[in-house]
């Protein structure tokens, strides 16, 4: 069954997908607004997804932060709204890794900023799949 990777942010939510549980690809970035759950619901239904992997941000020393609490709350809301297995995955430094990946693909700064959240979701999902 396919899996959805999520890089949760207060302004934007990056989404990735693994259709074969081996490789992850950028899907899209959506605004974090009142329509976010509806957009996620459409993807879950269309792609027949049963596992959602949400990145869990922490400080560099491994402690929880304010963003950690927000990601946990978002994950709980996903569990309440959808019939899917929601998993939390450490997302240490994924934004920097995503920027480096996109830069190595020849993207300019503007293109990188447009794709960084979805690419971070790719890394989160790849980490989950490699465990």
């Amino acid at each position: 069954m396919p899996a959805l990777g999520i890089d949760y942010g207060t302004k934007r939510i990056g989404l990735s997908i693994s259709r074969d549980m081996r490789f992850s690809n950028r899907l899209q970035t959506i605004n974090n607004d009142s329509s976010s759950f509806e957009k996620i619901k459409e993807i879950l239904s269309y792609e027949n997804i049963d596992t959602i992997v949400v990145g869990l941000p922490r400080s560099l020393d491994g402690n929880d932060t304010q963003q950690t609490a927000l990601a946990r709350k978002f994950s709980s809301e996903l569990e309440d709204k959808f019939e899917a297995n929601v998993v939390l995955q450490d997302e240490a430094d994924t934004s920097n890794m995503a920027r480096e990946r996109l830069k190595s693909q020849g993207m300019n700064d503007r293109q990188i900023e447009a794709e960084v959240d979805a690419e971070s979701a790719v890394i989160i999902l790849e980490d989950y799949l490699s465990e």
Side-chain angles (χ1 to χ4, degrees), residues 50-92:
D50 70 346
T51 300
I52 303 171
V53 182
V54 179
L56 186 64
R58 296 194 178 164
S59 65
L60 292 177
D61 61 6
N63 291 318
D64 285 4
T65 66
Q66 181 179 6
Q67 192 64 23
T68 309
L70 293 173
R72 287 185 193 279
K73 181 179 183 283
F74 178 74
S75 296
S76 290
E77 290 173 353
L78 288 171
E79 285 180 330
D80 291 343
K81 291 181 183 296
F82 308 120
E83 291 182 24
N85 177 32
V86 179
V87 180
L88 293 169
Q89 178 68 37
D90 181 53
E91 69 163 55

Side-chain angles (χ1 to χ4, degrees), residues 1 7 10 16 22 28-29 32 40 48 52 64 68 71-72 75 85 96 101 104 108 111 117 119 121-122 127:
M1 294 295 263
D7 179 41
T10 55
S16 66
R22 293 185 338 188
Q28 63 181 293
T29 299
N32 187 351
I40 291 170
N48 198 28
I52 303 171
D64 285 4
T68 309
R72 287 185 193 279
S75 296
N85 177 32
N96 289 330
R101 277 189 186 187
S104 73
N108 63 39
Q111 293 168 318
D117 298 304
E119 187 66 26
V122 167
D127 287 347

Side-chain angles (χ1 to χ4, degrees), residues 39-57:
K39 291 175 184 173
I40 291 170
K41 179 182 178 182
E42 289 172 11
I43 293 167
L44 295 175
S45 177
Y46 181 78
E47 296 287 349
N48 198 28
I49 291 170
D50 70 346
T51 300
I52 303 171
V53 182
V54 179
L56 186 64

